[in-house]
Amino acid sequence: MFKFWNSHEQQAQPHPQEGSSCSWYPPSVVGSTNSSRPATLSSSASNSFNSQTPAEWSHSLSPVSPTEAAGVIALLKDKSVDELRKLLSDKDAYNQFLLSVDQVKIQNNIRDELRNETLQLARNNLDKEPQIMELRNQCRIIRTTELAAAQEKLNELDRQKEETLKFYSPASFMHRLQDAMNVTEEESEIVNRQLLDREIDLGTFVQKYKKLRTSYHRRALIHLAAKTSPIG
């Protein structure tokens, strides 16, 4: 199974069937008698080994760089055949060896750091929960009081704007101009009746009637111009 030792060490190696019968490794690791060393495992793979089938376990292996593989081989090279056989058959011995590999130590340290940072962030979020609740209550108060008053004021301003736009619209202007012309026409008729009924003298009639008719015709001209204008 291992090709890193002299020929006499290879002769002392147990029969492949004998090694595989007592090994806890999946078939992908120890199934071939020509493989060089047991495949190295990451810390996450070793932790989840018990809950995975051999097929899933083989797929979860991450690729190992030549440098990392050489480092692991260097650690295994100094071990005796009995120690290597123990690694194959003893899960605790294998895990102890695995945790002594520098790459695994680095990964475990990174995992512990990430876990501690996550826990710290969770604690910080929990510490801020009272402040978040207070801000939420303030937002609810603002929404039910100040926001309601501001919304009512905004609606009133919108209503005033609509009334202003309607008042100064061309249609409204034409309507008010026509009403003013009708009022002037009625006032002219009243002044005319007053003259016929001798309620006013001729001089007063001329002065009032001239003023009313001038106003009427000025408004009539404006109405006609607005009516024939493209805006109207």
Side-chain angles (χ1 to χ4, degrees):
M1 183 179 292
F2 301 96
K3 294 185 179 182
F4 301 100
W5 292 270
N6 295 328
S7 60
H8 67 278
E9 292 179 340
Q10 295 178 355
Q11 294 174 359
Q13 182 178 341
H15 193 273
Q17 295 179 353
E18 179 182 350
S20 61
S21 61
C22 62
S23 174
W24 58 275
Y25 284 89
S28 61
V29 178
V30 296
S32 175
T33 59
N34 296 325
S35 60
S36 59
R37 291 286 178 172
T40 58
L41 296 177
S42 62
S43 60
S44 59
S46 64
N47 292 335
S48 61
F49 173 77
N50 290 331
S51 61
Q52 292 179 331
T53 63
E56 294 173 344
W57 187 82
S58 62
H59 286 297
S60 65
L61 295 177
S62 58
V64 180
S65 66
T67 304
E68 294 175 344
V72 176
I73 291 173
L75 294 175
L76 293 172
K77 191 174 183 180
D78 297 332
K79 294 187 177 296
S80 65
V81 175
D82 292 337
E83 290 174 335
L84 294 174
R85 186 181 294 113
K86 185 177 181 180
L87 290 178
L88 287 173
S89 60
D90 190 341
K91 182 177 179 180
D92 293 334
Y94 175 81
N95 286 334
Q96 184 177 0
F97 170 76
L98 182 65
L99 296 176
S100 67
V101 179
D102 291 338
Q103 292 87 342
V104 177
K105 290 180 180 179
I106 294 173
Q107 293 297 325
N108 287 339
N109 291 335
I110 294 175
R111 179 199 61 193
D112 293 339
E113 291 177 1
L114 291 175
R115 181 193 299 162
N116 293 333
E117 291 178 0
T118 303
L119 290 175
Q120 186 60 38
L121 289 174
R123 293 190 186 97
N124 293 339
N125 291 338
L126 291 176
D127 292 339
K128 292 179 180 179
E129 186 173 0
Q131 182 180 359
I132 294 174
M133 294 299 297
E134 178 64 23
L135 292 175
R136 186 175 297 170
N137 291 334
Q138 293 180 6
C139 292
R140 186 180 298 106
I141 293 173
I142 292 174
R143 185 168 58 250
T144 55
T145 58
E146 299 180 10
L147 181 61
Q151 185 67 40
E152 184 178 356
K153 184 177 181 180
L154 178 62
N155 294 336
E156 178 63 22
L157 292 175
D158 286 339
R159 186 185 62 79
Q160 294 178 6
K161 182 192 73 173
E162 293 297 331
E163 291 180 354
T164 302
L165 292 175
K166 183 178 179 180
F167 180 80
Y168 289 102
S169 64
S172 177
F173 172 75
M174 295 287 289
H175 181 72
R176 286 183 286 110
L177 190 60
Q178 184 64 51
D179 290 342
M181 291 171 58
N182 295 336
V183 171
T184 304
E185 183 69 21
E186 292 176 359
E187 291 177 350
S188 299
E189 292 294 332
I190 292 173
V191 172
N192 189 31
R193 285 197 299 270
Q194 288 177 347
L195 176 63
L196 296 177
D197 295 338
R198 299 182 181 276
E199 295 179 1
I200 57 175
D201 56 15
L202 183 60
T204 303
F205 167 77
V206 172
Q207 183 180 3
K208 289 184 177 182
Y209 194 79
K210 178 181 179 181
K211 182 178 180 180
L212 290 171
R213 299 316 296 174
T214 300
S215 177
Y216 174 85
H217 288 294
R218 184 175 66 251
R219 291 169 179 170
L221 290 174
I222 295 174
H223 186 275
L224 179 61
K227 190 174 182 181
T228 56
S229 173
I231 299 177

